[in-house]
Amino acid sequence: MVPMTNPALNPKIFQKETAANQQPGAFEPGWGSPANELPPGMFDPNAAAGASAATYGAGQATRPPATTGGDTMRISGTMTATGILLLLLMVAGVFGWQAVDVVYEGMTASGEKVYSANPPAWIFLAWIGTFVLAMVTIFKPRIARITGPIYAVGEGLALGSISAIFEAQYPGIVVQAVLLTFGVFITMMVLFATGTIRVTQKLRMCILAGMGAIFLVYLVDIIASLFGSSLPIVNSASPVGIGFSLIVVVVASLNLLLNFDFIKTAVDYKAPRYMEWFAAFGLMLALVWLYLEILRLLAKLRN
């Protein structure tokens, strides 16, 4: 559950893929922005704010001439692809849940039932496989239409098993985590779509700084665990530990705004059509992280 800036929904990847598709004989994204220029900021980190032209490639002031062939990325297509991936993830999650062996251990002095959960060995292979597949997809966005659904199935199996383990310890926690995850997703999407929250450069840097700090804390915790220790701020159910998890959930929620902004920018400047599946894949990564962090927070609150 180590957080990081979403490696999939990265403006550099959209820029790279769009540039590659301008090569002769390649898929033509059909750029239609004014004056054939890249927008200053999002897609060209070298462009100054307010500049009327952006650097594109080596020694070019503007984008290569647009062509009329090909099809381009759409928000509706991205949302459809996201829905398909999430559906596959949830269906696979049911199988991952059922694969976990839940054993009744007895009752506590207070009368609470105690269960233990034992995931099958192949679940760990699913975890490793999804990580490898995610890396392949990030470096090869063109194949996201194929690898995205496969990743969703593998991730669903892994999340299903993790959810079953949490549910055995804290009955009812999974339903709460799922409802909260989708509630946060819809809320953030409405706030972004209505312009209530605008993704400015200052907000973007604050979110990325927060994610970087969280990543470092988790990294230290992982290193400490190799020596038989851990950071109380990460794992304890103390007020400080709960406060830390709450901050992580807030940052993970705000991260959705960056994802929406990346997708909107890619659509506005007509990224290649196949990037719909890649964007859906990246959005699924963000939702998985948010769900896991909400699950961790709820478990601490139960303790």
Side-chain angles (χ1 to χ4, degrees):
M1 291 189 283
V2 179
M4 61 182 69
T5 48
N6 195 323
L9 299 188
N10 187 316
K12 291 183 179 180
I13 293 181
F14 284 109
Q15 183 183 15
K16 176 184 175 182
E17 291 301 312
T18 318
N21 280 290
Q22 291 287 353
Q23 300 302 319
F27 176 96
E28 298 292 350
W31 285 95
S33 55
N36 259 356
E37 295 173 356
L38 283 169
M42 176 63 72
F43 272 73
D44 187 1
N46 298 319
S52 60
T55 302
Y56 180 86
Q60 296 183 7
T62 58
R63 189 183 301 110
T67 60
T68 57
D71 202 355
T72 56
M73 182 177 172
R74 301 168 302 174
I75 290 181
S76 60
T78 303
M79 292 298 101
T80 299
T82 302
I84 293 174
L85 294 183
L86 292 179
L87 179 61
L88 290 174
L89 185 145
M90 289 187 290
V91 171
V94 174
F95 289 94
W97 179 298
Q98 294 176 343
V100 176
D101 183 23
V102 179
V103 180
Y104 174 69
E105 299 288 349
M107 299 184 68
T108 64
S110 60
E112 296 181 356
K113 296 181 180 180
V114 179
Y115 297 90
S116 63
N118 305 304
W122 58 264
I123 286 293
F124 297 98
L125 295 178
W127 293 345
I128 297 174
T130 53
F131 175 78
V132 174
L133 198 59
M135 293 298 101
V136 172
T137 306
I138 289 171
F139 286 102
K140 296 289 184 180
R142 286 176 175 268
I143 64 174
R145 181 177 298 180
I146 299 173
T147 58
I150 299 175
Y151 174 86
V153 172
E155 189 67 38
L157 293 173
L159 285 184
S161 64
I162 293 174
S163 299
I165 295 172
F166 272 87
E167 184 69 17
Q169 299 176 351
Y170 313 101
I173 192 174
V174 171
V175 173
Q176 295 175 350
V178 170
L179 292 177
L180 284 173
T181 300
F182 280 100
V184 170
F185 174 74
I186 293 174
T187 300
M188 289 299 171
M189 186 164 57
V190 170
L191 292 176
F192 178 81
T194 58
T196 304
I197 297 181
R198 298 185 181 277
V199 181
T200 62
Q201 186 62 20
K202 181 179 295 186
L203 176 61
R204 183 179 295 109
M205 294 306 298
C206 288
I207 296 174
L208 295 180
M211 294 177 70
I214 293 169
F215 171 76
L216 290 178
V217 172
Y218 277 138
L219 182 61
V220 172
D221 182 64
I222 292 174
I223 295 175
S225 67
L226 298 178
F227 298 93
S229 182
S230 64
L231 295 181
I233 190 176
V234 175
N235 302 290
S236 73
S238 65
V240 175
I242 292 174
F244 173 76
S245 288
L246 183 59
I247 292 174
V248 175
V249 169
V250 171
V251 173
S253 302
L254 293 175
N255 178 50
L256 290 173
L257 296 176
L258 298 186
N259 297 331
F260 296 148
D261 187 56
F262 288 155
I263 293 172
K264 181 180 182 298
T265 305
V267 171
D268 288 345
Y269 289 88
K270 304 189 183 304
R273 181 70 174 273
Y274 63 80
M275 294 298 284
E276 291 177 351
W277 282 93
F278 185 71
F281 163 77
L283 195 54
M284 183 175 59
L285 289 181
L287 287 172
V288 167
W289 176 39
L290 177 61
Y291 169 75
L292 290 173
E293 294 299 344
I294 289 178
L295 204 58
R296 182 198 290 266
L297 174 60
L298 292 177
K300 289 183 177 181
L301 292 174
R302 289 288 188 93
N303 286 334

